[in-house]
Amino acid sequence: MRKINWTLLFLAFLATASILSYGVAVAERSFMIAIVATIVLYSSFKGAAIYRKKNPVT
C-alpha cells in the first residue's frame, strides 16, 4: 500500500472546493465569489505543478 501524499490531496481538495464554489457564485450571482474561486483554482493547479516538479510522484 502506498503512502498518502497529503500535500497533493490538500491541493486536490482546494481545486474541488473552488469548482464547487463556481456553482455557488452562479446561484448567488456574485462576481466576487467567482473571482476568488478562480484564484484558488489557479493557485492549487500551479502549486501541484511546482510540487510535482520538485518531488516526482511515482
Side-chain angles (χ1 to χ4, degrees), residues 20-50:
L20 178 119
S21 65
Y22 278 126
V24 174
V26 169
E28 294 291 327
R29 295 182 180 175
S30 172
F31 286 113
M32 185 58 90
I33 296 173
I35 290 170
V36 170
T38 303
I39 292 170
V40 171
L41 184 64
Y42 176 78
S43 62
S44 67
F45 275 108
K46 193 68 170 172
I50 291 170

Side-chain angles (χ1 to χ4, degrees), residues 1-6 57-58:
M1 207 165 142
R2 291 185 184 181
K3 288 177 58 178
I4 295 175
N5 195 333
W6 291 104
V57 177
T58 56

Side-chain angles (χ1 to χ4, degrees), residues 4-14 44 47-48 51-52 55:
I4 295 175
N5 195 333
W6 291 104
T7 306
L8 288 179
L9 183 64
F10 177 70
L11 290 171
F13 176 76
L14 279 180
S44 67
Y51 183 81
R52 284 178 177 239
N55 305 329

